[in-house]
Amino acid sequence: MTDEISEIRNDLYKRAEFVLKTYKKYLDALAEFDRSGVLKVDGKILYVTKREVNKG
């Protein structure tokens, strides 16, 4: 691998790390929303899905 390619790869890795670190709370909120149906960021509920209950 050339030095230029290695440098580009390292720059891309740093950018990806920055995005993940910066937006981690939002990504975690989306993951929790998938599980619970409640979108909550910084302790504030932003959205709640209407889930139908199966009536057997």
Side-chain angles (χ1 to χ4, degrees):
M1 192 178 304
T2 67
D3 288 339
E4 183 180 0
I5 292 173
S6 181
E7 186 176 327
I8 291 170
R9 188 186 68 170
N10 288 337
D11 287 343
L12 290 174
Y13 181 75
K14 287 177 185 177
R15 288 179 189 172
E17 276 188 329
F18 170 77
V19 169
L20 291 174
K21 185 186 286 186
T22 302
Y23 297 104
K24 182 179 184 335
K25 72 178 178 180
Y26 300 110
L27 296 171
D28 289 344
L30 288 174
E32 182 62 31
F33 176 71
D34 283 343
R35 287 189 292 276
S36 69
V38 177
L39 181 60
K40 186 190 230 183
V41 176
D42 294 332
K44 294 181 181 179
I45 296 176
L46 302 176
Y47 184 78
V48 178
T49 59
K50 294 179 183 176
R51 297 195 180 209
E52 295 183 23
V53 178
N54 291 335
K55 295 179 181 178

